[in-house]
């Protein structure tokens, strides 16, 4: 049977594929991917809030994953939940480290954004198998989840899909890897059936995981398209270019600006 302990597929991959379809239908923001526009304008601009959000999510994952054990009344329940918590920590930490190191190797710059998205990708990747793998395997799954995130991010840029928070790369790609990893890792002693351990019908388990990922892709992508395409056809999906130029804070919200993005003049002492 299909295994997905806390939702790498049915939660994260579902959202990531829907995000890809939605972003593709909406189209890029004004100036995104244009050769004559400085693309630095589109990078994250509030690193403290980015880090805060990542830590809030990381903390929440300890309710999301161990909570999926659904019980804490016996010693066995407590052991299961604690193993899930350990695997969650290992996966997220390794995902962040892998992406941070590779990003530095490629750009020679320290990227806090890459670190944060790597942590999330590692968490997404370990979510399906956190209840059926050993902590050592969780490190591997989280690290490979970071690689899947980087590949998904590069793919989205290559096909010019404007995904501002990289939901497809973090949740869609790392979620796919998490579903697949259940068929690769985890011994029968801890409730797994991974092909690397040669368990009974482990090959069939891997096939079921692949089929599950395919069905999630078709279901999520199909229904997202049914939702987004009519909205675009009706002109209800994209704001005008004038509003994009002005900024939606100023065009649609009150107060008009949450904070100033203008440069502060230098004062000589």
């Amino acid at each position: 049977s299909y295994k997905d302990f806390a939702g790498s597929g049915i939660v994260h991959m579902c959202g990531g594929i829907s995000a890809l379809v939605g972003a593709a239908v909406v189209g890029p923001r004004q100036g995104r991917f244009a050769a004559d526009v400085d693309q630095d304008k589109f990078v994250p601009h509030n690193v403290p809030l980015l880090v805060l959000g990542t830590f809030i999510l990381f903390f929440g994952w300890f309710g999301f994953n161990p909570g999926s054990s659904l019980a804490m009344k016996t010693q066995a329940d407590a052991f299961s939940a604690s193993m899930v918590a350990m695997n969650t920590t290992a996966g997220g930490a390794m995902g962040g480290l892998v992406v941070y190191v590779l990003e530095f190797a490629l750009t020679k710059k320290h990227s806090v954004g890459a670190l944060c998205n790597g942590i999330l990708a590692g968490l997404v990747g370990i979510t399906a198998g956190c209840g059926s793998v050993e902590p050592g395997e969780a490190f591997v799954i989280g690290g490979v989840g970071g690689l899947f995130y980087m590949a998904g991010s590069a793919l989205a840029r290559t096909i010019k899909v404007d995904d501002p928070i990289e939901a497809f790369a973090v949740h869609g790609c790392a979620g796919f890897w998490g579903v697949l990893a259940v068929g690769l890792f985890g011994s029968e002693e801890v409730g797994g059936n991974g092909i690397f351990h040669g368990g009974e019908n482990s090959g069939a388990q891997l096939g079921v995981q692949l089929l599950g990922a395919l069905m999630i892709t078709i279901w999520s992508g199909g229904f997202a398209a049914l939702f987004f395409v009519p909205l675009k056809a009706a002109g209800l999906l994209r704001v005008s270019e004038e509003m994009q130029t002005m900024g939606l804070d100023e065009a649609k919200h009150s107060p008009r600006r949450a904070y100033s993005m203008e440069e502060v003049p230098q004062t000589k002492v």
Side-chain angles (χ1 to χ4, degrees):
S1 63
Y2 174 77
K3 292 185 177 182
D4 189 355
F5 186 82
S8 286
I10 60 174
V11 176
H12 297 285
M13 191 179 171
C14 178
I17 296 299
S18 300
L20 175 66
V21 173
V25 173
V26 172
R29 289 164 289 175
Q30 185 179 8
R32 185 68 169 123
F33 305 121
D36 58 342
V37 175
D38 182 9
Q39 295 301 302
D40 282 344
K41 293 181 178 180
F42 297 96
V43 300
H45 61 272
N46 197 318
V47 175
L49 284 183
L50 190 154
V51 173
L52 176 63
T54 301
F55 273 96
I56 290 172
L57 286 169
F58 206 153
F59 181 76
W61 237 281
F62 289 104
F64 188 64
N65 282 9
S68 295
S69 300
L70 302 180
M72 193 69 77
K73 62 184 183 297
T74 67
Q75 186 176 359
D77 293 335
F79 176 80
S80 174
S82 63
M83 185 180 73
V84 170
M86 174 66 75
N87 289 340
T88 300
T89 305
M94 195 63 180
L97 284 171
V98 166
V99 174
Y100 173 80
V101 170
L102 285 179
E103 188 73 14
F104 180 78
L106 293 170
T107 66
K108 305 304 178 188
K109 294 182 179 179
H110 302 281
S111 175
V112 177
L115 173 65
C116 289
N117 275 348
I119 289 172
L120 297 180
L123 290 168
V124 169
I126 194 56
T127 292
C130 58
S132 59
V133 301
E134 299 283 357
E137 294 175 317
F139 278 105
V140 176
I141 293 171
V144 176
L147 297 179
F148 269 74
Y149 153 71
M150 295 188 76
S153 178
L155 174 62
R157 292 194 301 271
T158 300
I159 62 178
K160 291 183 168 52
V161 171
D162 185 15
D163 183 0
I165 61 170
E166 299 191 299
F168 165 67
V170 171
H171 298 277
C173 295
F176 168 77
W177 161 244
V179 171
L180 181 65
V182 172
L184 299 174
F185 298 93
S187 66
E188 293 180 343
E189 285 77 14
V190 292
N193 192 27
I195 198 170
F196 292 157
H197 291 271
E200 186 179 355
N201 297 321
S202 57
Q205 183 68 54
L206 180 60
V208 169
Q209 297 302 118
L210 284 168
L211 178 60
L214 175 63
M215 296 309 298
I216 290 170
T217 301
I218 294 172
W219 174 275
S220 303
F223 274 95
L226 287 174
F227 180 77
F228 285 112
V229 171
L231 285 175
K232 184 174 183 179
L236 300 173
L237 202 57
R238 166 66 80 187
V239 298
S240 66
E241 290 193 2
E242 292 76 13
M243 283 189 180
Q244 290 186 65
T245 302
M246 183 186 301
L248 290 186
D249 277 348
E250 191 163 348
K252 289 283 189 179
H253 299 282
S254 178
R256 294 171 60 207
R257 292 184 182 180
Y259 46 84
S260 175
M261 293 290 290
E262 298 173 2
E263 289 189 15
V264 178
Q266 296 288 334
T267 27
K268 293 182 179 180
V269 179

